[in-house]
Amino acid sequence: MTVTPGGSDREALMLACPACGSQQRHEPGTKSLACTACGARTAILERTGATLVEQPYDDWVHGNTGRQVASLGGVVMRCEGCHATTEMAELASVCQFCRGHLVQVTSPDGVVPPSGVLPFLLDRRQATDAFTAWVTSHRLGIDELTTINAAESFTSTYLPVWSFSATATTTYEGRRGDRKPVRLPDDRVEMHTEWQDAAGTVTTRIDSQVVEGRKVSVVQDRLVRNLSLEGTVPFQPEYLAGHTATRYDRDPASAFEEVRRAAEKKRIPKDVRDHIGGDRTEVRSALTGYSDVRFALILAPLWVLTYIAAGKTWQVLVDGRTGEVAGEFPVDGGKLARLLLTWLGKLALVVVGLAAVVYFFNR
Ligand SMILES: [Zn+2]
Ligand SMILES: [Zn+2]
C-alpha cells in the first residue's frame, strides 16, 4: 500500500459535515457534497487543466514490469465514523460496521488510478422514473414488475472503463481493378476489369475508444458501447462519496488488445480499401503498427437494481447520466401466449384470404 507523505490518515477521504459532523455525499447533478443529516453543502474543488489526460501507454508498460492487477492488494482504510479499519480494493465502499462512506484517495503501487470521472447527473428518483418508463414499455413483463420498489432497491456505482487513443499505421499490398469499355473485333463494346498492383501506407487515428475495465453486470454491454465521454471531469475522490466504485480487474494490456482487434476488424480494412480505390479492390497483405498509444481510466456512473421475480434474480442498469436502461425481465407466459395467438389469428386470416383469391382465379 502507498502512504501519502505527511499524513497517516489520508488513505480515506474525510467526509464529515463541517456543520453537524454527519456524513456528506456527492449530490448527483451538482459539483457539491451534501450532508445527509442537515443538508449543508460543500463545493467540490475543481482541478484545473485539461478535462481528460491520457497517459503514454509505453511508459506504463515499462514502469509496471508485467504486474497484473489481480495480484495487487487493497488499501487499509480507517472509518471516520466508527474508526474501524478495513482493507479494501474498491475505490469507494461503505463501512461494514456503521455504513459510513469510505473513499480511497491513493492507489496502491501498480494500480492505475482514475484520470477522469463522469459524475452522476441522475439522482435516485430520476433513475426510478427511467426504470418505471422502461417497465411500462415492456408490456410482456409479468405484472409484479410494476410493484417493484425501485427507489429503495437502487444502488449507485461507478463502472471502470478504459479509454485508448493511438495512431495505427498500416503497410499494405494489393491490387485495384477499374472497369473500362473494350471494343471487340465485331465492334461490340464490353466492360472489362483492368487490374493494377497497389501498395502503400495508410494511417488510422483511434480517438478515445472505450472498452470495459470490469464486468459488474451481465447486461452492461450496450451501455458501455453507447457510453459518451463528453462531460468527463478530472478525477476527484469526492465524486465517489456515497456511491460504490470497484477497481478494474482487466489489465490495460488486455484492454488495448481489444481496441486493436476492433480496429483491425473494421476501420483499418476499410481505410486500406478506400486508399487503394478502384471499382474492385483486393488486399493481399496488411501489417499494422501502433504509435502514440495513450490511455486513461475513467469511472462511469450506473444505477443498479437487482430484483427477484418469478423465483429468479434479475438485473437492471440505468446510465447515471443519460437514463438509458439495460436489463432483463421475466416474461409473462400468459401475455406472450395471447400475443402469439393474436398474431397467429391474423396470419390465419391472411392465409384464408389468399387461398380464397387463388381459388377464385383458378375456377
Ligand atoms: Zn450536516
Ligand atoms: Zn464505520
Side-chain angles (χ1 to χ4, degrees):
M1 96 183 208
T2 325
V3 175
T4 318
S8 56
D9 239 0
R10 288 300 294 155
E11 295 299 331
L13 191 66
M14 297 297 136
L15 290 165
C17 167
C20 75
S22 293
Q23 290 259 290
Q24 301 182 96
R25 54 177 296 152
H26 168 241
E27 196 175 33
T30 71
K31 291 177 173 175
S32 327
L33 296 174
C35 173
T36 45
C38 75
R41 288 195 178 168
T42 317
I44 298 175
L45 288 178
E46 278 183 82
R47 273 207 277 153
T48 47
T51 47
L52 175 61
V53 182
E54 292 182 320
Q55 56 167 314
Y57 178 68
D58 284 349
D59 290 0
W60 181 82
V61 170
H62 292 136
N64 193 52
T65 60
R67 273 177 300 182
Q68 307 227 310
V69 71
S71 68
L72 300 168
V75 171
V76 178
M77 303 217 291
R78 197 157 75 96
C79 174
E80 214 183 348
C82 69
H83 306 294
T85 54
T86 317
E87 181 177 351
M88 64 178 218
E90 287 85 15
L91 297 169
S93 187
V94 287
C95 171
Q96 52 182 321
F97 302 105
C98 74
R99 310 293 296 163
H101 309 322
L102 297 173
V103 179
Q104 282 183 10
V105 291
T106 56
S107 295
D109 212 19
V111 175
V112 178
S115 306
V117 55
L118 285 157
F120 273 91
L121 287 181
L122 271 57
D123 61 18
R124 183 178 297 273
R125 189 186 52 75
Q126 291 164 315
T128 307
D129 290 347
F131 171 76
T132 308
W134 178 80
V135 162
T136 318
S137 72
H138 286 97
R139 277 176 293 172
L140 285 182
I142 58 170
D143 290 336
E144 292 143 77
L145 273 183
T146 49
T147 63
I148 293 165
N149 191 344
E152 265 177 34
S153 323
F154 263 122
T155 57
S156 51
T157 192
Y158 281 99
L159 174 75
V161 298
W162 297 109
S163 155
F164 271 88
S165 295
T167 302
T169 308
T170 307
T171 309
Y172 65 81
E173 272 180 37
R175 56 180 197 151
R176 68 175 279 165
D178 292 285
R179 301 281 284 162
K180 297 233 166 96
V182 174
R183 192 172 290 275
L184 301 178
D186 62 1
D187 252 14
R188 277 186 308 127
V189 174
E190 259 186 11
M191 295 301 281
H192 278 225
T193 304
E194 206 170 85
W195 288 99
Q196 241 181 329
D197 282 340
T201 303
V202 65
T203 57
T204 303
R205 184 67 205 154
I206 297 165
D207 271 317
S208 299
Q209 162 108 36
V210 172
V211 290
E212 63 191 16
R214 188 186 187 96
K215 185 80 75 197
V216 297
S217 163
V218 288
V219 296
Q220 75 184 37
D221 292 15
R222 181 161 47 82
L223 295 188
V224 173
R225 256 199 321 276
N226 294 348
L227 184 70
S228 157
L229 296 182
E230 205 171 315
T232 305
V233 298
F235 179 71
Q236 289 282 64
E238 282 84 354
Y239 284 112
L240 309 191
H243 311 292
T244 61
T246 43
R247 183 191 284 177
Y248 63 90
D249 63 359
R250 180 186 206 188
D251 284 287
S254 150
F256 182 40
E257 176 70 34
E258 183 184 329
V259 171
R260 277 198 318 240
R261 245 187 292 128
E264 285 167 28
K265 195 174 164 194
K266 256 188 157 169
R267 279 194 56 203
I268 294 175
K270 184 186 179 299
D271 285 355
V272 168
R273 300 187 89 84
D274 287 351
H275 208 242
I276 294 175
D279 298 315
R280 290 178 65 191
T281 312
E282 268 182 27
V283 182
R284 280 199 215 101
S285 68
L287 195 66
T288 305
Y290 294 83
S291 58
D292 191 26
V293 183
R294 305 177 85 83
F295 76 116
L297 181 66
I298 295 159
L299 304 179
L302 290 177
W303 283 101
V304 184
L305 173 69
T306 305
Y307 64 94
I308 294 170
K312 261 184 77 182
T313 305
W314 309 81
Q315 209 165 46
V316 173
L317 300 177
V318 178
D319 184 307
R321 291 177 71 82
T322 63
E324 184 181 349
V325 182
E328 307 169 307
F329 65 94
V331 169
D332 186 319
K335 287 183 194 170
L336 182 65
R338 281 194 293 280
L339 182 74
L340 286 177
L341 278 178
T342 316
W343 283 347
L344 281 176
K346 283 180 185 162
L347 188 66
L349 276 180
V350 171
V351 170
V352 168
L354 280 177
V357 168
V358 168
Y359 175 75
F360 179 80
F361 280 106
N362 286 324
R363 230 154 32 129

